[in-house]
Structure formats: structure tokens, C-alpha cells
Amino acid sequence: MTDTHDVQAPGVGKQPRFVLRMIAAIGIALSLFQLYAAGIQPLGLFFQRPIHLGFILVLCFLMYPVTGDRPRGVLGWAIDGTLIACGVLVGYWVPANIDAIANAIIPRNIDVTVGIITTLVVLEAARRAIGLGMTIIGAVFILYAFAGNRGELPFLSDFLPGILNHRGYTLERLSSQMTLGAEGIFGLPLGVAATFIFVFVLFGAFLEVTGAGKFFIDLAYAATGRQRGGPAKAAVIASAGMGSISGSAIANVVTTGAFTIPLMKRLGYRPAQAGGIEAAASTGGQIMPPLMGAGAFLMSEFTRVPYIEIVLVSIFPAFLYFGAVYLLVHIAAVKQGMTGIPSDELPKVRDVLAEGWHFLLPLVALVWLLVVGYSPMRVGFYAIVAVIGAAMLRGLMQYVAAGPTIPALIALAKAGVARTLEALELGARNAVAVSMACAVAGIVVGVVGLTGLGLKFSAMMLAFSNGNLLLALLLVVLASLILGMGLPVTAAYIVLIILVGPALTEQFGMPILVAHLVVFWWSQDSNVTPPVALAGFAGAAIANASPMETSVQAWKYAKGLYLIPLFMVFNPSIIEGGPVPLVLWNGVIAILALTAFAAALEGFLFGPMPIWARVAVLPGIVAIFWPSLQAEIAGAVLIAALLALNWMTAKKHRETMTPA
């Protein structure tokens, strides 16, 4: 932690020294509170969630001043000081008054007033931490609850289509729904953020501070750097490792892209192409087990499917995604005649493992604890303990190797304490955005439960699609893209699954886990899909390229994000399991279809593909996605024949070009 004036820190901005100290102290206190609840004494939901939210609100208003990048001044401090006091009130009120709230026959006026303050403060904090889009969505849902004959704003019902109309609710009723029960702000989304998500965000912070990011990047370079397009392939592999830990596609781009994008440009990739490849690979980190950002924890709570089961069924689809990105990168490298990085400029796998093998121990411990049945929150706690233990072991080994002395031991202890405090602070800061997204998502959940909007939306979706599943899925894709323009992916997933989940599962008969995975995958598309491609924009900044051109490249390389969920829908055995021959068959044809799609997209596989072959392979891809064994066989045969022809043609061309 730095102690200088006007320091630029991630998510903090330029702040006076005393504010940085306050942020550090509150962040460390929040992380210690969360570790206590995760590993020592679990707390009830009406203690854990309000206290967590209170800490997050105070942090948010300290980190994001009302004045933006300008100094706060007297008026700024008056506004932010009031909001900070409201944040403290939010964290204190429900735990301190839980008995009176529970015993009240009707909500007390003071509880309603605090509920109104809580809702308004949450919306303002979300605006600062996430952006205006999330606040607007929360406000629109609140206005929707007030519409109707008995609501606070009955005239709004005149603007609602008949199917969306409802009775309307008063300010007292809505305030009670938002803050005095388990369906509003203190509902399931915030509950997951305050338990599972926070502890794994903290786990990622400990890995980051102890140097795990550099280890994964170096390991990826050592494994792939000599191959054609080596830095791009290293970006894919490093992003798979880092993305699962970081919980943010944008953070993944910034972390790994700082190394991979310049090397890709040096090798011959165009700047926009290099930024797009990194954005596509980094987005895949959110769907890569074991952590999968925050999605797997939320999915487990929504579906009541054990977390470890979600992790296991997500492994093969995640490898399909990264395989597709890797193949597209390879094809681009071969087409452009690229070579790898010279061996003397690359780290060696043996040296990288010797230097950082201890970073693998916490991940192994994490997976093992999940498999044996520990709760995710307790697993996260022990994983953090394992990271600290591994870092201490490594430090002691270096201490002994350098020659043990008392001054060296004191320096080692100071460095260990400093890194621990840095990780505790970083984990808390990294959790602000996702916790605020989940708090506002709780407003959406509360209004949907109060008004029955979920069932109404499902009925509308069924009417628009006319019972056609493919058309319904297209509507989900469009909705996810629109939501993604203003929401982070976690919030987009929550809002979308609340609205379309009942239609997919009840009206179209989709298995609940498949429906959630499909919506979760598609909620990632705002990272790579123009006109709003946040990971693409981050990649463009590092590559010094056009943001829109980089986003188009990211969209191109991330096509698996759209295709693989469709395959899950029409071939659910890759998720749900089934007879081994069927699972193997679906796995083989999925790989075949994605290979054919990559070849058709690039016009190249073993060699150039003529236009007629690129067009002819498309019916085979469609047939493989069609839920019919006969169609799948026909599609697989067609694709195999065309790819074999491409291989033979390329081989013949190479033999012709080779001197006798």
C-alpha cells in the first residue's frame, strides 16, 4: 500500500493520502470480517448481508467521489459524508433491530424510512461503481412497481401494455419488499456476493499479489512461444488460467494483454487483431472452471445444483471455447506466414515450474476440497489459507537459500505482512462493483416477485416466438446484448435469467441447468460484441488500435460464445451426461463443427479453402446442431469429406512446391 499524495490506484482514482488510508483500513476490515464469517463463525443472512453491504457502500463512496476526478471540496465532502453515514446506517440497522422487525405485525415507520434510504443509496452507489445503466434499470423496475391503480403512480399504467399491467404498490409496501425480507436488496444475489463471491475474489487478490499472474503467463509462453503465432496462443492459455481467477474479463485483458499484445504485434498480427484475440481469450476466462467469475456460485444458488457439479459439467464446453479460439489463432498465423519466438527469448517450462510451482498447490487444494464436499465458502477460506501458506513456504525457501540472518528474517516478515494487507485491501476493492451489481439485481428480483413480471415476460416471449425454440433463443441473444450494453455480465445474467428462465424451462422444456448455462454464456457477449465490447475496448487501448475494429476482431474470434450454447440446447447430453457412446459422439461432432466453422470463417485450414467449399461446409455445421441423429451423421460426413479434401489439396500443393 502506497503512502503518497495523489496516487492513482485501480478503482480508486486520485485521492488524498488520508482517504487512501481510510479505503485501505475499511477494505482490510471488510476482508477480515468476511474471512471470520467464512471460516470461523458463519452468520445469519440478516447479519451477514447488511453488514457486508454497509462496508461496500462506505468503500464505494470513498473510492468514487461525487466530483469525479476533481477534488471533493466542502460541498463534495458534505454529499459524500452524508452518503457514507447512510452506508453505516444500512449496515447497522437490520442487525441491530432484527427482533423488533421480526415481531412487528406491520412494518414500523422507521423501518420503512430506513428502507427508502437504503434503496436510494444503493442506486447512487451502483451509478458510481458500475455506471448509469444499472441505476436506470433499478429505477425503471421501481417505477413499474408503483404503476397500477393502487400504486403511487397510477397514471403510469396507461403506458403499460395490458399483459404488463398489475395492481400497483405503495411506497411502504415496496420499501418493505426491498429491505425487510429475503427477496429484495438483501436477497439471493447479494447473499451470494456476500459469501461465495467475495471469498473467491479475495482468493484471486491473494494470488495476484503473490505473483500468480506472472507465473501463468510465463508458463503459457514457455509452452507455446516457439509455435507459429506463439504469443497469441500464449494469450489464449494464459487467459484461461488468469480469467478464472480474476473474475473480470477486462481485468484479464489488462493483466495478460500487457505482455501478450505487444508480442503479438511484434510477430506480425495487426494491432486490432492482437487486441481482439486477447479480448476473446480473456472473455473465456469467465466460463472456465473452477471459479468461472461469479457465475457458478449464483447458478448453484438459483438451480440448487451443487457447485462442484456445475464446475464439472462446464469443463468440456470451456475447452471447446478455448479450442475454437486457439484454432482461429493458429489458422491466422499460418495464413500470414508467422513464426514463433526464438527459444533464447523464452522462459523454459522447467525453470517456470521451479520458480512458481507453489502457485499450483492452492488450486489443487481448492478442487480437492470441492470434490470431497466442503461448502464453497469454506473452500474459499481454506484456499486463501493455502495461498498464504504456499507464499510463506516459498519465502522461507528463498531465505534459507540466501543464507539465514536476523535482518533478512525481519525483512521477510515485513514483506509478508505488507503483501497480506495489500491482498486484503485489493480483494475488498475488487468486490465493490460485483456487490453493487448484486444489490441492484436484488431490486429487480424483488419487483419481479412482487408483480409477477417473470411469468408475464415469459408469456410475451412465448407469443413473440410463436412456440419456436430457435426464435426464442434469438430473442434471448438480443436481450443479452442489449442488457450487456449497460450492465456488467453478472448483473446481465441475473436480470436475464429471472425474466426468460421460466419460459425456457417451463414453456420449452429446457433442463434448468442448460437454461442457466446458456443465459450465462450469452451474458458475456457485451465483452466482445460491437457496439459495446468492453474487453475489446480494453484490448484496443493496449494495442493502440481502433476500438471498433478491435471489437469486430474480438467478436470474430469469440464466435464459440454463441455456437456452443446452441449445441448445449440441442445436445444436452454434453451437460447432463448419458450413455457413454452418445456423450463421446456429441463431443466428437462438436469439435468437428467448431473446426469446420473456424475454417469457413477464415477460408483456411490445412491450406486455402475455395469459396464453394466454405459455402458447402455450412449445411454440415447446421446439420450437426440439428437435434436428429440422421442429420448429425450426414453433417459429420459432409464436413469430414470437405476437410479431408482441403488436407489432400494442401499436401499436394506443398509437394508440388517442394524442389525435387
Side-chain angles (χ1 to χ4, degrees):
M1 291 174 292
T2 184
D3 195 41
T4 59
H5 188 70
D6 287 349
V7 175
Q8 185 75 29
V12 175
K14 290 184 177 181
Q15 300 273 20
R17 182 164 46 193
F18 79 92
V19 176
L20 292 179
R21 287 178 171 174
M22 290 172 63
I23 291 171
I26 294 168
I28 292 167
L30 171 57
S31 293
L32 291 175
F33 164 74
Q34 295 286 163
L35 287 174
Y36 175 81
I40 300 174
Q41 180 60 57
L43 302 175
L45 67 91
F46 286 113
F47 288 88
Q48 175 86 24
R49 298 176 189 181
I51 294 173
H52 171 86
L53 181 58
F55 269 116
I56 290 291
L57 288 170
V58 173
L59 265 182
C60 181
F61 293 125
L62 283 172
M63 289 167 56
Y64 304 101
V66 68
T67 53
D69 292 332
R70 302 188 308 276
R72 278 187 172 95
V74 175
L75 180 60
W77 271 115
I79 295 172
D80 286 348
T82 301
L83 291 171
I84 289 169
C86 290
V88 174
L89 176 66
V90 169
Y92 163 82
W93 188 259
V94 172
N97 296 275
I98 186 65
D99 291 335
I101 292 171
N103 293 328
I105 299 175
I106 59 174
R108 301 179 302 170
N109 290 337
I110 185 65
D111 295 326
V112 171
T113 302
V114 173
I116 295 169
I117 292 172
T118 301
T119 304
L120 294 175
V121 169
V122 163
L123 290 174
E124 169 59 11
R127 183 191 68 80
R128 298 193 191 186
I130 308 167
L132 189 59
M134 194 72 193
T135 299
I136 290 174
I137 286 181
V140 166
F141 273 84
I142 289 173
L143 291 176
Y144 177 71
F146 286 150
N149 295 329
R150 301 183 186 178
E152 295 286 348
L153 304 171
F155 67 91
L156 288 178
S157 63
D158 297 335
F159 300 95
L160 296 176
I163 192 173
L164 290 180
N165 227 320
H166 61 94
R167 56 173 290 185
Y169 294 90
T170 63
L171 185 62
E172 292 79 7
R173 180 70 181 88
L174 185 63
S175 174
S176 302
Q177 177 80 356
M178 291 297 105
T179 58
L180 299 182
E183 283 192 356
I185 290 172
F186 300 131
L188 179 62
L190 184 65
V192 176
T195 51
F196 310 141
I197 293 175
F198 187 96
V199 76
F200 277 96
V201 168
L202 189 58
F203 171 63
F206 270 94
L207 283 175
E208 182 178 336
V209 166
T210 53
K214 184 178 184 302
F215 167 72
F216 285 122
I217 293 169
D218 287 348
L219 192 60
Y221 272 120
T224 64
R226 298 174 186 83
Q227 301 176 17
R228 287 184 169 185
K233 294 174 180 176
V236 176
I237 295 175
S239 295
M242 275 300 297
S244 180
I245 294 169
S246 72
S248 166
I250 298 170
N252 198 357
V253 170
V254 174
T255 304
T256 60
F259 298 92
T260 59
I261 290 175
L263 281 173
M264 280 190 267
K265 290 171 64 178
R266 172 185 151 193
L267 200 65
Y269 287 99
R270 292 180 290 107
Q273 195 177 20
I277 288 170
E278 179 58 51
S282 295
T283 297
Q286 310 305 287
I287 55 178
M288 185 69 184
L291 300 188
M292 299 172 64
F297 306 112
L298 287 163
M299 208 178 302
S300 176
E301 290 298 304
F302 280 134
T303 62
R304 299 300 176 187
V305 174
Y307 172 76
I308 184 62
E309 186 174 328
I310 292 173
V311 167
L312 292 175
V313 301
S314 298
I315 292 174
F316 182 63
F319 274 104
L320 284 179
Y321 176 83
F322 280 104
V325 178
Y326 193 95
L327 181 60
L328 284 167
V329 164
H330 174 75
I331 291 172
V334 175
K335 278 177 66 178
Q336 298 176 37
M338 296 179 187
T339 58
I341 299 175
S343 298
D344 58 355
E345 297 183 21
L346 289 170
K348 292 181 171 53
V349 173
R350 181 184 304 173
D351 295 339
V352 175
L353 287 174
E355 181 67 23
W357 59 269
H358 59 288
F359 291 121
L360 299 175
L361 297 179
L363 298 179
V364 172
L366 184 153
V367 174
W368 180 77
L369 289 169
L370 285 172
V371 170
V372 298
Y374 282 81
S375 71
M377 193 163 70
R378 188 57 61 92
V379 168
F381 174 81
Y382 288 134
I384 291 170
V385 172
V387 173
I388 296 172
M392 290 176 61
L393 174 63
R394 185 63 181 170
L396 287 173
M397 291 171 61
Q398 293 174 340
Y399 166 73
V400 172
T405 63
I406 297 299
L409 184 61
I410 294 173
L412 178 65
K414 286 182 176 179
V417 171
R419 286 187 176 181
T420 300
L421 294 177
E422 182 183 354
L424 292 171
E425 178 193 350
L426 180 62
R429 285 197 281 111
N430 288 347
V432 169
V434 69
S435 290
M436 291 317 309
C438 288
V440 180
I443 294 176
V444 175
V445 173
V447 172
V448 169
L450 194 63
T451 61
L453 180 61
L455 296 176
K456 296 174 182 179
F457 197 91
S458 297
M460 291 172 58
M461 184 177 168
L462 191 64
F464 282 128
S465 65
N466 198 26
N468 184 291
L469 177 57
L470 193 58
L471 187 55
L473 292 173
L474 179 61
L475 292 173
V476 176
V477 171
L478 292 175
S480 72
L481 181 58
I482 293 169
L483 283 173
M485 291 180 183
L487 302 184
V489 293
T490 302
Y493 159 67
I494 295 171
V495 173
L496 199 58
I497 198 63
I498 291 168
L499 295 177
V500 307
L504 294 178
T505 56
E506 296 169 16
Q507 306 297 333
F508 292 101
M510 194 180 297
I512 186 170
L513 184 54
V514 173
H516 277 257
L517 281 170
V518 166
V519 171
F520 177 66
W521 274 58
W522 282 341
S523 68
Q524 313 292 325
D525 66 352
S526 61
N527 283 316
V528 291
T529 306
V532 177
L534 301 181
F537 294 167
I542 298 173
N544 195 23
S546 161
M548 198 52 61
E549 186 183 356
T550 305
S551 300
V552 170
Q553 290 293 320
W555 181 64
K556 169 185 169 182
Y557 284 101
K559 282 296 194 297
L561 199 64
Y562 299 93
L563 293 177
I564 295 169
L566 279 178
F567 195 83
M568 295 180 198
V569 172
F570 295 114
N571 299 273
S573 63
I574 68 168
I575 298 297
E576 297 185 307
V580 173
L582 177 62
V583 174
L584 291 176
W585 165 253
N586 282 328
V588 169
I589 63 173
I591 295 170
L592 191 62
L594 289 171
T595 302
F597 182 81
L601 190 65
E602 288 288 346
F604 194 97
L605 187 59
F606 304 104
M609 286 186 74
I611 292 293
W612 70 265
R614 296 170 70 177
V615 173
V617 82
L618 296 179
I621 297 171
V622 173
I624 280 182
F625 280 80
W626 203 263
S628 163
L629 181 60
Q630 292 82 357
E632 290 174 355
I633 293 172
V637 170
L638 174 61
I639 290 174
L642 289 170
L643 297 187
L645 178 63
N646 179 256
W647 178 76
M648 289 187 291
T649 303
K651 181 182 178 184
K652 184 177 180 180
H653 178 73
R654 287 194 298 269
E655 290 172 349
T656 303
M657 296 296 293
T658 303

